[in-house]
């Protein structure tokens, strides 16, 4: 079976229009979370990471759109256009498209929207992205709560391994909307301050928005400097609760075990864990239990939510791309906001951004409905 790689990529975020902007700010320990006062979205002030209209409009207008697009569609198109430009890839019938999102164009259902309600259907979102870039194949929409981004990479790898496609473009995104904010507020899961994953004084999540994209390919001529090989991937649903994770970490534990088995790698070969780390009491505790059961408690671990907030269905893809750049730069990025361990099991939280030879990392994600995913990536450089 031929190897499958992640290569050219883009992170379109509050940090700027590309991956370089995001990595530079993370390296310096700068968070994109800002205090927001918007009574339409939430009654009181809240911390969030949001892409500015000026940044989005400046980028999108350069692409010379011929029709009106929703905010999310603009973000996805802005990110994917950059990745395609880097790849210089001819879009033919051997190129696939996967869109990963949790809620898609949910904002078009709000009363002020100028778009028809049917635009909220995920199939419509995929159709708009397909038509803008003139993909020959229909978009695959992957919407499985907060594991969507990592799962999309796993599906892309499988499609290439099965010879369905030679190349797959994966693009993911979600928005900060009234629906999302009111939902998490109803769960009492929103933090009134910047989130602190795994910290004893953590009090919940912040919501962020981003557009991320990557070329998944078996073509070794398409290797970016930060390219990584997908070594193993697995998913498991713990069927515990519609919103609450398993108290034993069963689904995540099994996902990690299966991904390691598929990769053929030992625990000792994992240089760090890019964890989900939402900063909610139950999620962080579940992960601590699962990682200890997998004997990964000594492996350096970070959560990137302190930089971007929780970007929902895009988070796993976004954090994988940052992991690629982390390996390329041989740099462990700090888990921003962490002060004192606040889970019942030991974890090796990365407190300071540190230079260290790196080759392999594992990315995990967990979400509503009991879904859990793990994927292992290894640097493609010699």
């Amino acid at each position: 079976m031929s190897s499958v790689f992640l290569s050219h990529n883009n992170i379109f975020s509050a940090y700027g229009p590309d991956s370089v902007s995001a990595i530079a700010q993370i390296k310096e320990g700068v968070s994109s979370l800002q205090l927001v006062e918007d009574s339409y979205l939430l009654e009181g002030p809240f911390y969030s990471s949001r892409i500015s209209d000026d940044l989005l409009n400046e980028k999108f207008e350069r692409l010379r759109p011929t029709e009106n697009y929703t905010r999310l569609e603009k973000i996805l198109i802005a990110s994917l256009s950059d990745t395609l430009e880097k790849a210089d890839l001819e879009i033919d019938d051997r190129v696939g498209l996967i869109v990963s999102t949790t809620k898609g164009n949910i904002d078009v259902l709000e009363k002020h929207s100028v778009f028809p309600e049917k635009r909220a259907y995920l199939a419509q979102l995929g159709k708009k992205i397909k038509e803008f870039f003139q993909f020959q194949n229909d978009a695959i929409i992957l919407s499985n709560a907060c594991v969507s981004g990592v799962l999309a990479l796993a599906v892309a790898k499988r499609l290439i391994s099965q010879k369905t496609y030679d190349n797959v473009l994966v693009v993911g995104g979600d928005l900060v909307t009234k629906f999302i904010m009111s939902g998490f507020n109803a769960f009492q899961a929103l933090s009134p301050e910047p989130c602190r994953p795994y910290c004893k004084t953590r009090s919940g999540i912040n919501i962020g928005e981003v557009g991320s994209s990557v070329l998944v390919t078996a073509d070794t001529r398409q290797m970016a400097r930060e390219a990584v090989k997908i070594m193993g991937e697995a998913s498991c649903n713990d069927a515990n609760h519609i919103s609450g994770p398993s108290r034993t970490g069963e689904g995540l534990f099994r996902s990690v075990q299966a991904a390691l088995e598929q990769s053929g790698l030992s625990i000792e070969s994992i240089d760090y864990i890019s964890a989900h780390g939402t900063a909610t009491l139950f999620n962080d505790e579940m992960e601590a239990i699962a990682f200890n059961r997998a004997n990964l408690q000594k492996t350096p671990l970070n959560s990137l939510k302190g930089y971007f907030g929780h970007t929902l269905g895009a988070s796993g893809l976004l954090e994988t791309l940052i992991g690629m750049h982390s390996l390329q730069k041989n740099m462990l990025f700090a888990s921003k906001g962490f002060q004192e361990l606040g889970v019942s099991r030991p974890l090796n939280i990365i407190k300071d951004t540190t230079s260290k030879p790196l080759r392999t990392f594992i990315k995990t994600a967990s979400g509503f409905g009991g879904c859990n995913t793990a994927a292992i990536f290894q640097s493609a450089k010699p």
Side-chain angles (χ1 to χ4, degrees), residues 21-41:
S21 303
I23 298 302
Q25 294 296 297
I26 292 170
K27 182 180 176 181
E28 296 300 318
V30 178
S31 175
S32 66
L33 292 169
Q34 300 290 327
L35 185 64
V36 177
E37 294 191 31
D38 186 334
S39 59
Y40 177 74
L41 290 174

Side-chain angles (χ1 to χ4, degrees), residues 1 150-151 153-159 161-162 230-236 254-263 362-363 372-377:
M1 183 181 296
V150 182
L151 192 57
L153 298 174
V155 170
K157 173 214 150 191
R158 296 176 196 181
L159 289 170
S161 297
Q162 295 165 3
I230 307 176
M231 301 298 294
E233 42 76 20
S235 298
C236 181
R254 293 193 186 193
S255 296
V256 169
Q257 273 196 322
L260 279 166
E261 182 178 350
Q262 186 183 110
S263 73
I362 183 167
K363 174 70 199 131
N372 299 273
T373 300
I376 299 172
F377 304 94

Side-chain angles (χ1 to χ4, degrees), residues 287-298:
E287 287 188 294
I289 292 169
F291 292 139
N292 274 262
R293 289 182 64 188
N295 202 28
L296 286 166
Q297 66 271 21
K298 295 182 180 180

Side-chain angles (χ1 to χ4, degrees), residues 3-7 215-220 223 227-230 380:
S3 299
V4 179
F5 303 89
L6 308 187
S7 187
L215 171 66
V216 185
T217 183
D219 187 351
T220 55
M223 295 297 97
V228 295
K229 178 181 177 181
I230 307 176

Side-chain angles (χ1 to χ4, degrees), residues 179-198:
F179 180 89
I180 297 297
M181 295 303 297
S182 62
F184 280 101
N185 193 45
F187 279 126
Q188 299 182 347
L190 293 178
S191 172
E193 54 192 1
C195 65
R196 296 189 295 278
Y198 308 106

Side-chain angles (χ1 to χ4, degrees), residues 150-363:
V150 182
L151 192 57
L153 298 174
V155 170
K157 173 214 150 191
R158 296 176 196 181
L159 289 170
I160 292 173
S161 297
Q162 295 165 3
K163 309 297 184 185
T164 302
Y165 296 122
D166 297 326
N167 301 280
V168 177
L169 275 303
V170 178
V171 59
D174 266 303
L175 301 176
V176 178
T177 67
K178 185 177 181 65
F179 180 89
I180 297 297
M181 295 303 297
S182 62
F184 280 101
N185 193 45
F187 279 126
Q188 299 182 347
L190 293 178
S191 172
E193 54 192 1
C195 65
R196 296 189 295 278
Y198 308 106
C199 189
K200 187 175 182 178
T201 56
R202 70 191 186 277
S203 56
I205 68 173
N206 309 129
I207 302 298
E209 61 187 16
V210 73
S212 297
S213 57
V214 67
L215 171 66
V216 185
T217 183
D219 187 351
T220 55
R221 297 169 298 178
Q222 277 283 5
M223 295 297 97
R225 289 186 306 168
E226 64 274 14
V228 295
K229 178 181 177 181
I230 307 176
M231 301 298 294
E233 42 76 20
S235 298
C236 181
N237 193 296
D238 58 44
N240 178 72
H241 187 268
I242 192 170
S243 62
S246 165
R247 300 300 189 267
T248 64
E250 189 66 31
L252 181 57
F253 167 65
R254 293 193 186 193
S255 296
V256 169
Q257 273 196 322
L260 279 166
E261 182 178 350
Q262 186 183 110
S263 73
L265 298 174
S266 66
I267 289 171
E268 291 72 25
S269 65
I270 304 299
D271 291 313
Y272 89 96
I273 303 166
S274 176
H276 194 51
T278 63
T280 60
L281 294 175
F282 290 140
N283 174 86
D284 293 7
E285 176 68 11
M286 178 277 289
E287 287 188 294
I289 292 169
F291 292 139
N292 274 262
R293 289 182 64 188
N295 202 28
L296 286 166
Q297 66 271 21
K298 295 182 180 180
T299 305
L301 176 152
N302 69 14
S303 165
L304 296 167
K305 301 297 191 292
Y307 298 97
F308 296 91
H310 192 349
T311 56
L312 307 180
S315 61
L317 174 58
L318 162 70
E319 292 157 11
T320 297
L321 300 187
I322 295 171
M324 293 169 61
H325 289 273
S326 183
L327 295 190
Q328 191 264 325
K329 293 182 177 298
N330 289 307
M331 187 168 291
L332 291 172
F333 294 127
S335 192
K336 189 168 181 62
F338 177 81
Q339 298 167 350
E340 180 183 0
L341 191 65
V343 291
S344 66
R345 309 294 173 88
L347 290 175
N348 185 9
I349 307 297
I350 304 169
K351 297 179 180 179
D352 300 296
T353 294
T354 308
S355 294
K356 180 182 178 181
L358 301 173
R359 182 161 176 77
T360 306
F361 76 98
I362 183 167
K363 174 70 199 131

